């Protein structure tokens, strides 16, 4: 039986970042591989030129969407494995109509985001940044940021039991902390199995010492952390956003931060990056980082997962992380 043909669309500049040697070896054992010849991710014209012979393809950040024109030029295409986070931008109605299998390596990226989140939870609970600045300015413990606190004695509020949120839960288990969860798609029974207390969002922001956002950016979550809810957050709380900036009413957040009541770590903003004159760049109780919570230089876990998904597809095995039309409204 001839091997399937798999097209790599991500551009040669990104090969080392996405694919490990092990991934290449595995891919070549079951497929003939064709490559987009450019250094940068394939644009629409490049996809139309590359995909006519492809039975499947691997996409990643900045590859052009597989719209109706691209799919019309790819009559053999049966599977798409996305080696990045959200696959939503790449999917069109034409792809669903063709019955093409779509998988996402987002769960591999989720682990990186969760690890960053755990770091911010610890740094936030210990109040390392404000206390470090206080010491730099000549002080010691006579600060409003003292005493710092332990994660184990903190109430952690997670907004969203996404792949990232569930990884954060796994990482928090050794701390034996109290975790509150807001997620309308998680039942009380499932929350109990996860070891968390399912609550409404208003209760979560009132009770949590640390609020961490892990929801998708969809219409129903736009500005879910509203002015009213931000005003309900505890004094000395910590807000962490490694998800999407649009989840927070940013002008309202700035107003609350100006009061000095709580601290925020924002890896994402809306817009991104924030304007040069945005108060988020200058307020002392907020740290904005340049969307770095996920993998930066070593994303090879995603490449390996994408290869494994295609191996399974052509071996007739079920996918590990399929994306289906009924999930589409719930992913960001």
């Amino acid at each position: 039986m001839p091997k399937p043909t798999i097209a790599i669309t991500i551009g040669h500049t990104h090969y080392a970042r996405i694919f490990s040697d092990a991934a290449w070896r595995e891919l070549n054992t079951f497929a003939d591989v064709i490559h987009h010849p450019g250094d940068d991710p394939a644009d629409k014209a490049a996809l139309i030129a590359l995909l006519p012979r492809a039975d499947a393809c691997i996409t990643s950040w900045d590859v052009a969407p597989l719209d109706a024109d691209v799919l019309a030029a790819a009559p053999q295409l049966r599977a798409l494995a996305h080696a990045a986070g959200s696959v939503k931008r790449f999917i069109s109605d034409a792809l669903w109509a063709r019955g093409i299998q779509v998988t996402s390596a987002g769960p591999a990226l989720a682990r990186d985001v969760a690890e960053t989140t755990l770091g911010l939870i610890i740094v936030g609970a210990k109040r390392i940044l404000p206390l470090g600045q206080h010491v730099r300015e000549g002080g010691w413990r006579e600060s409003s940021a003292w005493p710092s606190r332990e994660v184990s004695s903190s109430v952690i509020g997670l907004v969203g039991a996404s792949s990232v949120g569930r990884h954060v839960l796994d990482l928090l288990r050794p701390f034996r902390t109290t975790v509150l969860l807001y997620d309308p798609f998680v039942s009380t029974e499932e929350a109990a199995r996860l070891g968390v207390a399912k609550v409404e969002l208003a209760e979560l922001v009132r009770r949590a010492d640390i609020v961490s956002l892990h929801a998708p950016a969809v219409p129903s979550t736009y500005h879910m952390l509203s002015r009213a809810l931000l005003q309900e957050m505890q004094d000395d709380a910590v807000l962490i956003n490694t998800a999407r900036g649009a989840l927070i009413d940013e002008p309202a957040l700035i107003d609350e931060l100006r009061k000095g009541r709580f601290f925020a770590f924002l890896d994402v903003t809306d817009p991104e990056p924030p304007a040069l004159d945005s108060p988020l760049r200058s307020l002392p109780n907020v740290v904005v980082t340049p969307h770095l919570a996920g993998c930066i230089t070593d994303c090879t876990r995603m490449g390996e997962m994408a290869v494994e998904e295609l191996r399974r597809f052509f071996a007739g095995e079920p996918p590990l992380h399929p994306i289906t039309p009924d999930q589409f409204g719930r992913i960001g």
Side-chain angles (χ1 to χ4, degrees), residues 78-111:
R78 292 185 282 151
L80 180 157
H82 189 55
S86 175
V87 72
K88 196 164 190 175
R89 186 179 71 82
F90 296 83
I91 295 177
S92 65
D93 289 340
L95 188 145
W96 297 130
R98 281 267 299 274
I100 293 170
Q101 177 177 286
V102 179
T103 58
S104 172
L109 178 67
R111 183 77 186 189

Side-chain angles (χ1 to χ4, degrees), residues 89-159:
R89 186 179 71 82
F90 296 83
I91 295 177
S92 65
D93 289 340
L95 188 145
W96 297 130
R98 281 267 299 274
I100 293 170
Q101 177 177 286
V102 179
T103 58
S104 172
L109 178 67
R111 183 77 186 189
D112 295 292
V113 179
E115 290 170 355
T116 301
T117 301
L118 177 63
L120 296 176
I121 288 172
I122 295 170
V123 168
K126 286 293 186 179
R127 302 178 185 180
I128 286 174
L129 288 171
L131 286 170
Q133 181 61 35
H134 180 64
V135 172
R136 185 178 294 112
E137 293 169 354
W140 191 235
R141 289 183 171 181
E142 66 292 345
S143 164
S144 60
W146 182 264
S148 61
R149 57 178 175 253
E150 290 70 40
V151 173
S152 59
S153 60
S154 301
V155 176
I156 313 294
L158 300 185
V159 180

Side-chain angles (χ1 to χ4, degrees), residues 198-274:
K198 177 179 168 66
V199 297
E200 293 301 314
L201 186 55
E203 180 180 351
L204 184 148
V205 298
R206 284 196 302 267
R207 290 178 54 190
D209 299 304
I210 299 170
V211 176
S212 189
L213 305 185
H214 305 290
V218 295
S220 62
T221 63
Y222 180 74
H223 286 189
M224 65 188 305
L225 220 57
S226 63
R227 181 176 297 275
L229 289 177
L230 289 165
Q231 291 172 347
E232 290 290 315
M233 286 186 61
Q234 294 186 32
D235 291 346
D236 297 325
V238 176
L239 173 63
I240 299 169
N241 191 4
T242 56
R244 290 291 183 265
L247 302 181
I248 302 177
D249 181 340
E250 200 163 279
L253 174 63
I254 289 169
D255 288 344
E256 288 302 305
L257 290 171
R258 281 179 169 143
K259 299 175 185 178
R261 293 198 309 109
F262 57 77
F263 200 98
F265 291 104
L266 306 176
D267 191 50
V268 287
T269 55
D270 186 24
E272 192 173 296

